[in-house]
Amino acid sequence: MRNVVGTPERGWLPQAFAVVALVTALRLIALVFNKAELFVDETQYWFWGQNFDFGYYSKPPLIGWLIRAVTDLAGSSSPFWVRMPGSVLHGITALVLGLTAARLFDARTAFWTALTYVTLPFVALGSLLISTDTVMAPFFAGAILFFVKTCQTRGAGSAILAGLCAGAGFMAKYAAIYLIPGALLAALFLRDFRPGWRNAVLMLVAFGLMIAPNVIWNLTHDLTTVEHTMDNAGWVRTGAHLNWASLGTFFASQFGVFGPVAMVALLWGYLRGGTSAWAGFAFLSVPALAVVLVQALLDRAYANWAVGAYFAGTILAVSVLGPRMRRISLAINLIPCILLPLLTVLAPWPVIDGKPLLQRYLGRAELSHAALAIGHETGLPVVSENRDILADLFYQNRDGDVPVYAVPSKGRPGSYYEQMFPMPAGLGQVVLVDRDLPEGCSPSETRDLPRGGYWTRYDVKAWTVNAECLYAH
């Protein structure tokens, strides 16, 4: 192990590249046979890409841009092409983290960093679908790499690249902002992690230029994405209360997200002393986990919200683990790496208590096709106020000509569809697809819709109603 000012180790990269490429290729092959339909978030991200903008209702824009670029190049918007970037981006992230580890530790640590990351549970899951975490990942890792390189070389080019990568990560998911407090803590307490004032300014300027389009978009769209982020925080709107059960549940979930051995190693890395390299990665990792732990205590937090801790955290955990524990960690993590894609290929099997295990990823397309068929048959627009239904309707209607609209709600729009595609004024009859019929609406026709997969537990119907009752509602 070397100090942060050393030169990068060599010789590990060809082997790491071969292993990561093999894992990525196997994941892409499994994706070809994946029977899980696109989830509501995935279809939403796809739809964003069909409507280019510098920001969207709930997230920054990079994921929409990426999906649009890939599907246009492929000439297809099939689930495979929508999800294909996931495994590739995680493979790139693994190698970038390996390059970072090689600058601070030995070649073996660099190799195991790449191998460990590409087999982490959240990476295995993120390679089966497309999410903002996955799009953020290579840029978050790249920002760490170029920050470390800047601290070593004091090069202006590396500083600019660090800022650009951090900005690109922010344009994928706002959680990339955790890079800033992490770098500040490292620079404050560790001489070897100080990039110099000129380079710090260059990083911030590059970061600011990269995120400026989304900042301007938010300022000109009533801070839409910021407002949604505050909604997610919960306690910002309703007031804080201590939720110890939520904290415990979230903390326990991280052993599944990062892997049990890696998580223990990371926590030990936070607590133990050691070289400046160890401490530096602890500072770069801990802000995301600490902030989300507080969020979980004050309200609630989803398991993936602290993923920003696990890029620097992977390097720290691997550097803490000895050779035997690295192999044990890998063996444990290979279980979800094999099981998760296998389940998507075998879906709807297994069936537990009469329900497919992957129920939430099944049955959406069937309902949408039936609803759109009614719209095509009657010549009427299809509308809904349910985000899940709207997301898949727009996706399944990508080659169709049935008008699809969101029922507008009073006050601030509750979804991207309400914000950008509300029912226009002056509509006559429409086909309302929803779980409940609004008060004051008297349907002239009611039709049942398929209740497979996700919709098994809901009675979704298609009502032909006068649009006036929906405007009033």
Side-chain angles (χ1 to χ4, degrees), residues 136-150:
M136 176 184 71
F139 299 107
F140 203 115
I144 294 172
L145 170 63
F146 289 114
F147 173 72
V148 168
K149 188 175 180 181
T150 302

PDB file of all heavy atoms in Angstrom, residues 136-150:
ATOM      1  N   MET A 136     -25.699   7.559 -13.165  1.00  0.00           N
ATOM      2  CA  MET A 136     -24.796   8.380 -12.350  1.00  0.00           C
ATOM      3  C   MET A 136     -23.468   7.683 -12.090  1.00  0.00           C
ATOM      4  O   MET A 136     -22.416   8.344 -11.976  1.00  0.00           O
ATOM      5  CB  MET A 136     -25.479   8.713 -11.014  1.00  0.00           C
ATOM      6  CG  MET A 136     -24.605   9.472 -10.033  1.00  0.00           C
ATOM      7  SD  MET A 136     -25.401   9.755  -8.419  1.00  0.00           S
ATOM      8  CE  MET A 136     -25.406   8.073  -7.740  1.00  0.00           C
ATOM      9  N   ALA A 137     -23.472   6.360 -12.001  1.00  0.00           N
ATOM     10  CA  ALA A 137     -22.333   5.598 -11.478  1.00  0.00           C
ATOM     11  C   ALA A 137     -20.994   5.897 -12.149  1.00  0.00           C
ATOM     12  O   ALA A 137     -20.011   6.213 -11.459  1.00  0.00           O
ATOM     13  CB  ALA A 137     -22.653   4.098 -11.528  1.00  0.00           C
ATOM     14  N   PRO A 138     -20.851   5.784 -13.485  1.00  0.00           N
ATOM     15  CA  PRO A 138     -19.526   5.996 -14.066  1.00  0.00           C
ATOM     16  C   PRO A 138     -19.018   7.417 -13.902  1.00  0.00           C
ATOM     17  O   PRO A 138     -17.802   7.636 -13.794  1.00  0.00           O
ATOM     18  CB  PRO A 138     -19.731   5.647 -15.547  1.00  0.00           C
ATOM     19  CG  PRO A 138     -21.188   5.802 -15.791  1.00  0.00           C
ATOM     20  CD  PRO A 138     -21.851   5.427 -14.504  1.00  0.00           C
ATOM     21  N   PHE A 139     -19.922   8.392 -13.849  1.00  0.00           N
ATOM     22  CA  PHE A 139     -19.503   9.780 -13.679  1.00  0.00           C
ATOM     23  C   PHE A 139     -19.090  10.053 -12.242  1.00  0.00           C
ATOM     24  O   PHE A 139     -18.139  10.794 -11.986  1.00  0.00           O
ATOM     25  CB  PHE A 139     -20.626  10.715 -14.123  1.00  0.00           C
ATOM     26  CG  PHE A 139     -20.998  10.549 -15.563  1.00  0.00           C
ATOM     27  CD1 PHE A 139     -22.185   9.936 -15.931  1.00  0.00           C
ATOM     28  CD2 PHE A 139     -20.132  10.974 -16.564  1.00  0.00           C
ATOM     29  CE1 PHE A 139     -22.519   9.768 -17.261  1.00  0.00           C
ATOM     30  CE2 PHE A 139     -20.455  10.814 -17.906  1.00  0.00           C
ATOM     31  CZ  PHE A 139     -21.657  10.206 -18.253  1.00  0.00           C
ATOM     32  N   PHE A 140     -19.791   9.458 -11.292  1.00  0.00           N
ATOM     33  CA  PHE A 140     -19.414   9.572  -9.878  1.00  0.00           C
ATOM     34  C   PHE A 140     -18.025   8.968  -9.682  1.00  0.00           C
ATOM     35  O   PHE A 140     -17.150   9.588  -9.053  1.00  0.00           O
ATOM     36  CB  PHE A 140     -20.435   8.820  -9.020  1.00  0.00           C
ATOM     37  CG  PHE A 140     -20.523   9.268  -7.594  1.00  0.00           C
ATOM     38  CD1 PHE A 140     -21.682   9.855  -7.094  1.00  0.00           C
ATOM     39  CD2 PHE A 140     -19.467   9.101  -6.729  1.00  0.00           C
ATOM     40  CE1 PHE A 140     -21.776  10.265  -5.782  1.00  0.00           C
ATOM     41  CE2 PHE A 140     -19.543   9.495  -5.396  1.00  0.00           C
ATOM     42  CZ  PHE A 140     -20.705  10.082  -4.923  1.00  0.00           C
ATOM     43  N   ALA A 141     -17.819   7.783 -10.250  1.00  0.00           N
ATOM     44  CA  ALA A 141     -16.509   7.131 -10.147  1.00  0.00           C
ATOM     45  C   ALA A 141     -15.440   7.941 -10.863  1.00  0.00           C
ATOM     46  O   ALA A 141     -14.304   8.073 -10.376  1.00  0.00           O
ATOM     47  CB  ALA A 141     -16.592   5.718 -10.730  1.00  0.00           C
ATOM     48  N   GLY A 142     -15.785   8.504 -12.035  1.00  0.00           N
ATOM     49  CA  GLY A 142     -14.825   9.315 -12.763  1.00  0.00           C
ATOM     50  C   GLY A 142     -14.426  10.566 -12.005  1.00  0.00           C
ATOM     51  O   GLY A 142     -13.256  10.973 -12.024  1.00  0.00           O
ATOM     52  N   ALA A 143     -15.384  11.182 -11.326  1.00  0.00           N
ATOM     53  CA  ALA A 143     -15.073  12.361 -10.526  1.00  0.00           C
ATOM     54  C   ALA A 143     -14.090  12.021  -9.409  1.00  0.00           C
ATOM     55  O   ALA A 143     -13.164  12.793  -9.120  1.00  0.00           O
ATOM     56  CB  ALA A 143     -16.363  12.943  -9.943  1.00  0.00           C
ATOM     57  N   ILE A 144     -14.278  10.862  -8.771  1.00  0.00           N
ATOM     58  CA  ILE A 144     -13.349  10.433  -7.719  1.00  0.00           C
ATOM     59  C   ILE A 144     -11.957  10.206  -8.306  1.00  0.00           C
ATOM     60  O   ILE A 144     -10.948  10.646  -7.745  1.00  0.00           O
ATOM     61  CB  ILE A 144     -13.856   9.155  -7.033  1.00  0.00           C
ATOM     62  CG1 ILE A 144     -15.156   9.440  -6.275  1.00  0.00           C
ATOM     63  CG2 ILE A 144     -12.803   8.597  -6.084  1.00  0.00           C
ATOM     64  CD1 ILE A 144     -15.824   8.200  -5.726  1.00  0.00           C
ATOM     65  N   LEU A 145     -11.891   9.532  -9.464  1.00  0.00           N
ATOM     66  CA  LEU A 145     -10.601   9.259 -10.105  1.00  0.00           C
ATOM     67  C   LEU A 145      -9.858  10.555 -10.404  1.00  0.00           C
ATOM     68  O   LEU A 145      -8.665  10.701 -10.065  1.00  0.00           O
ATOM     69  CB  LEU A 145     -10.828   8.467 -11.398  1.00  0.00           C
ATOM     70  CG  LEU A 145      -9.604   8.312 -12.314  1.00  0.00           C
ATOM     71  CD1 LEU A 145      -8.505   7.525 -11.617  1.00  0.00           C
ATOM     72  CD2 LEU A 145     -10.000   7.639 -13.626  1.00  0.00           C
ATOM     73  N   PHE A 146     -10.517  11.504 -11.037  1.00  0.00           N
ATOM     74  CA  PHE A 146      -9.827  12.727 -11.436  1.00  0.00           C
ATOM     75  C   PHE A 146      -9.573  13.655 -10.249  1.00  0.00           C
ATOM     76  O   PHE A 146      -8.618  14.440 -10.271  1.00  0.00           O
ATOM     77  CB  PHE A 146     -10.611  13.439 -12.535  1.00  0.00           C
ATOM     78  CG  PHE A 146     -10.556  12.706 -13.853  1.00  0.00           C
ATOM     79  CD1 PHE A 146     -11.696  12.135 -14.404  1.00  0.00           C
ATOM     80  CD2 PHE A 146      -9.347  12.562 -14.517  1.00  0.00           C
ATOM     81  CE1 PHE A 146     -11.637  11.449 -15.598  1.00  0.00           C
ATOM     82  CE2 PHE A 146      -9.274  11.879 -15.726  1.00  0.00           C
ATOM     83  CZ  PHE A 146     -10.426  11.317 -16.264  1.00  0.00           C
ATOM     84  N   PHE A 147     -10.393  13.558  -9.206  1.00  0.00           N
ATOM     85  CA  PHE A 147     -10.088  14.304  -7.980  1.00  0.00           C
ATOM     86  C   PHE A 147      -8.799  13.796  -7.363  1.00  0.00           C
ATOM     87  O   PHE A 147      -7.919  14.583  -6.984  1.00  0.00           O
ATOM     88  CB  PHE A 147     -11.247  14.171  -6.989  1.00  0.00           C
ATOM     89  CG  PHE A 147     -10.964  14.769  -5.639  1.00  0.00           C
ATOM     90  CD1 PHE A 147     -10.906  16.141  -5.460  1.00  0.00           C
ATOM     91  CD2 PHE A 147     -10.739  13.942  -4.538  1.00  0.00           C
ATOM     92  CE1 PHE A 147     -10.637  16.693  -4.213  1.00  0.00           C
ATOM     93  CE2 PHE A 147     -10.471  14.482  -3.287  1.00  0.00           C
ATOM     94  CZ  PHE A 147     -10.412  15.869  -3.124  1.00  0.00           C
ATOM     95  N   VAL A 148      -8.671  12.472  -7.270  1.00  0.00           N
ATOM     96  CA  VAL A 148      -7.451  11.875  -6.715  1.00  0.00           C
ATOM     97  C   VAL A 148      -6.248  12.232  -7.584  1.00  0.00           C
ATOM     98  O   VAL A 148      -5.171  12.599  -7.086  1.00  0.00           O
ATOM     99  CB  VAL A 148      -7.613  10.351  -6.596  1.00  0.00           C
ATOM    100  CG1 VAL A 148      -6.271   9.685  -6.305  1.00  0.00           C
ATOM    101  CG2 VAL A 148      -8.617  10.007  -5.504  1.00  0.00           C
ATOM    102  N   LYS A 149      -6.430  12.150  -8.903  1.00  0.00           N
ATOM    103  CA  LYS A 149      -5.320  12.474  -9.807  1.00  0.00           C
ATOM    104  C   LYS A 149      -4.913  13.933  -9.674  1.00  0.00           C
ATOM    105  O   LYS A 149      -3.726  14.272  -9.732  1.00  0.00           O
ATOM    106  CB  LYS A 149      -5.727  12.166 -11.243  1.00  0.00           C
ATOM    107  CG  LYS A 149      -4.580  12.287 -12.238  1.00  0.00           C
ATOM    108  CD  LYS A 149      -5.005  11.856 -13.630  1.00  0.00           C
ATOM    109  CE  LYS A 149      -3.843  11.993 -14.610  1.00  0.00           C
ATOM    110  NZ  LYS A 149      -4.245  11.599 -15.992  1.00  0.00           N
ATOM    111  N   THR A 150      -5.881  14.814  -9.492  1.00  0.00           N
ATOM    112  CA  THR A 150      -5.582  16.234  -9.295  1.00  0.00           C
ATOM    113  C   THR A 150      -4.768  16.441  -8.029  1.00  0.00           C
ATOM    114  O   THR A 150      -3.811  17.229  -8.005  1.00  0.00           O
ATOM    115  CB  THR A 150      -6.875  17.061  -9.220  1.00  0.00           C
ATOM    116  OG1 THR A 150      -7.630  16.863 -10.415  1.00  0.00           O
ATOM    117  CG2 THR A 150      -6.570  18.539  -9.066  1.00  0.00           C
TER     118      THR A 150
END
